[in-house]
Amino acid sequence: MKAPNIEDTQPLSLAEGHKAVLTLLRAGALEQAEKEFYRLKLHKVNGDEDILGLWGRLLKSKALEASGDVRRSLALDASEQYAFAYEQTGGTYSGINTAAMALIGGDETTSYALAQRILRQLPETYPAPGEDAYYHMATKAEAYLLMGNVDEARETLMDAQMLDPHNFAAHATTLQQFEMILTAQGLEVAWLDPLRPPKTLHFAGHIFSETGGLQILDHEHVDQLKKKITDIISNDTIGFAYGALAAGSDIIIAEALLEVGAELHVVMPCAETLFIEKSILPFGEEWLPRFEACMAAAKSVRYVTADTETMDDLSTAFSSEVSMGLAVLKAQALATEAVQLVVWDEHIPINGAGTARDAILWAKNKRKQIVVPYPVARKVVSIWPHLVDEQKRGLKAMIFADVRGFGALNETQVPLFIDHVLTPLADHVRMQGHHVKHQNTWGDGLFLVLDSVDAAADVALALQACFRDIKLKDVGLPEFLALRIGGHYGPVHELDDPIMGEPGMFGTEVSLAARIEPVTVPGSIYVSEPFACSLAANTASLYRCEQVEEIEPRRGKPAMPLFSLRKLKK
């Protein structure tokens, strides 16, 4: 998909204009969305609920990012705009949002009265089972909730879900709206938990052999382990699971997940042939057909690297972070819970990858964790090489940024740009101090390499906020300038640059990082899936990464999922 460009001169249809502004809203580029809304003259449109509701949605987004009196004021503004759409079109979507935002703004009387009106407007019968029927009943449930009738809201929402039982994304959106309303009413939200979509799972465990060779575990202990794993998975509601498929624990967990109908999403640290060579065959050839069966039944398979020669601690740790992050991101998207299941002897090895690292990282962020004790004392055997410092290869976070429209500046504006834009941006980079391992610039472009994704997220958000605060018109610069920031995470080589005469960052992941920023929606931050996953795995809900549409970074290159990054309010 092409990102909307505020400099385009070709007129857009209403549907195209709606999509362009909606894309900006979903990316969190609220200021840019506001500019586009007016540039496309959507504020002059009448009688179209989708278009009229866009401005209400923008104000709602601003309100939910604010607090106190500012939040209440913006919520009332959003309610007023939704009301304008409702009075023109009679649409229940804009009507129920009018009532909800009136409540957030503190106008309970208006909220209650309009919820009553919506209930009278909705027909008693609903469409045939499916998405339309779901939204019909969900709107009715929300109206009951706004009137304070929690029991009726619960029963009606249960009916709604039965009419479209597998539309988990729609369920999640409704649950998030209900949480917002219940919080504003000062009521408990725990009753929503049984209505949430199935949980997500990250799984990992020790490798072992049943027949001889490395890490032997006899048949009796294997049977005990299988039973414990099967009982745990059967007694919980797991819908989506993420992990690797090494011999032993991984495959046993995956088989149990497939038996209960959970979606299996495999995350591989290297090419499949190398993984089989290192993590399957040394533990017995009987694991190979079981591995292949799980791969064939998997809903998706990701390869975090395409390496056919090296499988080491670095690639394994990288793969684990992606797996854990995918479980957390899926749970966030579905407003449900992420859980980890590990088969672990609770031994903490010296090396930096494996089940122990996964378990410790997950527990650090206080997420639910189920540890199945490994049944016997385990002889720790290294099956892949550790990285040594001399290799100067490590997992790094990368940021590329540039200012869209810089090339259109005239000669007198370039010094103004340096003084009023590039200099304050540089000041915010320097605030990260020792976290910045490498930096480079060219004109309006920035390239930063940092030692962690949270440091990279912080500097990206600081750059975004800094640019947002610059009054471009007041300093003599055109208002069409907009900052684009792209982020990526992966293994890179730190090697001496023979041209620059100083250390530089090299590798395929650097090239991939450079392809994200040019397709980023102006005013927003797009990050790759590995970046979003590592951020989710390493931080306890400090940031929010929401997937935007898949974008093809360069002609002929495969599309890749990108996520918009924002920081959550404390």
Side-chain angles (χ1 to χ4, degrees):
M1 174 188 160
K2 180 185 176 185
N5 185 342
I6 65 170
E7 295 177 296
D8 287 341
T9 58
Q10 291 296 321
L12 300 179
S13 67
L14 285 183
E16 290 170 334
H18 175 268
K19 184 176 182 180
V21 175
L22 192 59
T23 298
L24 291 164
L25 287 174
R26 287 172 174 167
L30 303 185
E31 290 77 11
Q32 211 65 37
E34 184 173 348
K35 289 180 182 178
E36 274 290 81
F37 189 83
Y38 279 103
R39 188 189 73 83
L40 295 171
K41 297 182 174 56
L42 298 181
H43 61 292
K44 295 185 177 181
V45 173
N46 289 314
D48 186 310
E49 187 183 21
D50 289 339
I51 300 296
L52 293 170
L54 268 182
W55 189 248
R57 179 166 177 165
L58 188 148
L59 292 169
K60 177 182 177 180
S61 297
K62 286 186 174 183
L64 297 182
E65 289 190 357
S67 58
D69 290 341
V70 175
R71 179 188 178 98
R72 285 187 287 274
S73 177
L74 286 168
L76 290 176
D77 289 343
S79 179
E80 183 180 347
Q81 180 59 35
Y82 277 126
F84 180 65
Y86 178 55
E87 294 303 330
Q88 281 207 13
T89 66
T92 54
Y93 165 79
S94 53
I96 202 68
N97 273 287
T98 303
M101 296 316 293
L103 174 71
I104 303 304
D107 187 353
E108 296 181 14
T109 301
T110 297
S111 177
Y112 187 96
L114 190 53
Q116 279 188 318
R117 181 178 170 185
I118 294 292
L119 276 178
R120 290 194 298 268
Q121 180 181 346
L122 288 167
E124 288 299 319
T125 58
Y126 48 76
E131 189 170 66
D132 288 344
Y134 170 79
Y135 280 118
H136 173 94
M137 294 299 287
T139 300
K140 183 176 287 191
E142 187 173 343
Y144 282 126
L145 187 61
L146 289 166
M147 294 168 60
N149 192 338
V150 175
D151 290 338
E152 197 69 41
R154 180 192 297 112
E155 293 300 320
T156 307
L157 185 56
M158 290 173 62
D159 290 343
Q161 291 189 352
M162 290 176 63
L163 291 167
D164 197 10
H166 302 297
N167 194 347
F168 298 130
H171 299 178
T173 300
T174 302
L175 290 168
Q176 289 163 349
Q177 182 86 345
F178 275 42
E179 284 187 56
M180 177 189 74
I181 293 168
L182 288 164
T183 301
Q185 293 172 328
L187 300 176
E188 291 294 325
V189 301
W191 63 266
L192 296 174
D193 290 344
L195 300 173
R196 296 188 185 281
K199 297 174 185 176
T200 68
L201 181 78
H202 169 255
F203 65 91
H206 294 313
I207 304 178
F208 62 79
S209 168
E210 294 187 49
T211 57
L214 299 174
Q215 312 285 24
I216 301 173
L217 194 63
D218 63 53
H219 293 304
E220 181 180 351
H221 284 113
V222 171
D223 290 341
Q224 293 174 6
L225 194 61
K226 285 180 181 176
K227 185 177 186 310
K228 287 181 180 178
I229 290 170
T230 301
D231 288 346
I232 289 168
I233 291 172
S234 299
N235 292 328
D236 213 335
T237 308
I238 304 297
F240 315 89
Y242 301 83
L245 285 176
S249 303
D250 285 357
I251 289 179
I252 290 175
I253 294 171
E255 289 171 340
L257 287 163
L258 290 170
E259 284 180 11
V260 300
E263 284 187 9
L264 176 63
H265 298 268
V266 179
V267 183
M268 301 282 278
C270 58
E272 185 174 326
T273 52
L274 180 61
F275 186 82
I276 291 172
E277 176 189 335
K278 295 291 186 180
S279 296
I280 300 293
L281 295 180
F283 302 91
E285 292 187 359
E286 70 274 12
W287 289 109
L288 183 57
R290 295 170 69 176
F291 165 82
E292 291 173 338
C294 289
M295 289 285 281
K299 182 73 172 181
S300 71
V301 179
R302 288 170 173 82
Y303 299 88
V304 298
T305 74
D307 203 326
T308 59
E309 297 182 2
T310 304
M311 180 176 166
D312 52 25
D313 282 348
L314 190 71
S315 57
T316 305
F318 183 34
S319 177
S320 292
E321 283 190 42
V322 171
S323 295
M324 286 184 275
L326 286 168
V328 174
L329 289 171
K330 185 70 170 180
Q332 289 175 350
L334 295 184
T336 189
E337 184 180 18
V339 182
Q340 184 185 61
L341 172 61
V342 287
V343 178
W344 182 31
D345 61 3
E346 299 194 52
H347 170 76
I348 302 175
I350 298 174
N351 63 298
T355 303
R357 178 183 183 273
D358 296 355
I360 292 168
L361 180 56
W362 191 273
K364 181 189 76 172
N365 290 306
K366 296 180 172 55
R367 298 187 176 104
K368 182 178 177 181
Q369 183 180 65
I370 302 168
V371 177
V372 177
Y374 193 72
V376 298
R378 195 171 63 96
K379 179 181 178 182
V380 179
V381 178
S382 177
I383 61 168
W384 52 71
H386 306 324
L387 288 180
V388 292
D389 292 339
E390 288 77 9
Q391 287 182 283
K392 293 185 177 179
R393 182 169 169 261
L395 292 170
K396 301 294 180 185
M398 292 156 275
I399 294 291
F400 277 91
D402 85 339
V403 177
R404 197 279 325 278
F406 173 77
L409 297 181
N410 60 44
E411 288 300 315
T412 61
Q413 291 171 326
V414 172
L416 296 174
F417 178 87
I418 301 299
D419 290 342
H420 298 288
V421 177
L422 202 56
T423 296
L425 292 178
D427 291 340
H428 281 80
V429 171
R430 280 191 286 271
M431 290 179 188
Q432 283 298 325
H434 68 278
H435 290 296
V436 179
K437 300 305 179 185
H438 177 79
Q439 56 189 335
N440 199 357
T441 182
W442 52 95
D444 64 320
L446 298 173
F447 173 47
L448 307 173
V449 180
L450 299 97
D451 57 8
S452 68
V453 285
D454 52 334
D458 284 342
V459 74
L461 289 159
L463 292 173
Q464 183 187 52
C466 172
F467 190 91
R468 185 182 295 151
D469 290 340
I470 299 169
K471 307 300 182 185
L472 294 170
K473 187 176 180 181
D474 292 349
V475 299
L477 291 170
E479 290 189 292
F480 60 70
L481 295 178
L483 184 67
R484 297 181 293 203
I485 303 174
H488 183 48
Y489 176 72
V492 299
H493 295 273
E494 184 177 357
L495 303 169
D496 290 336
D497 187 324
I499 295 178
M500 300 297 292
E502 59 187 35
M505 298 292 173
F506 301 90
T508 56
E509 303 300 323
V510 178
S511 300
L512 180 58
R515 296 203 296 266
I516 297 171
E517 172 270 315
V519 297
T520 298
V521 170
S524 64
I525 304 168
Y526 276 7
V527 298
S528 66
E529 185 173 77
F531 189 109
C533 287
S534 181
L535 197 59
N538 284 282
T539 61
S541 303
L542 297 177
Y543 308 88
R544 184 75 173 184
C545 291
E546 296 180 354
Q547 187 170 351
V548 293
E549 296 184 56
E550 283 197 334
I551 297 174
E552 187 175 333
R554 286 286 186 271
R555 184 172 297 175
K557 298 289 183 180
M560 63 178 176
L562 296 180
F563 295 73
S564 64
L565 167 68
R566 66 191 73 178
K567 193 162 189 175
L568 297 179
K569 295 288 182 182
K570 292 185 180 181

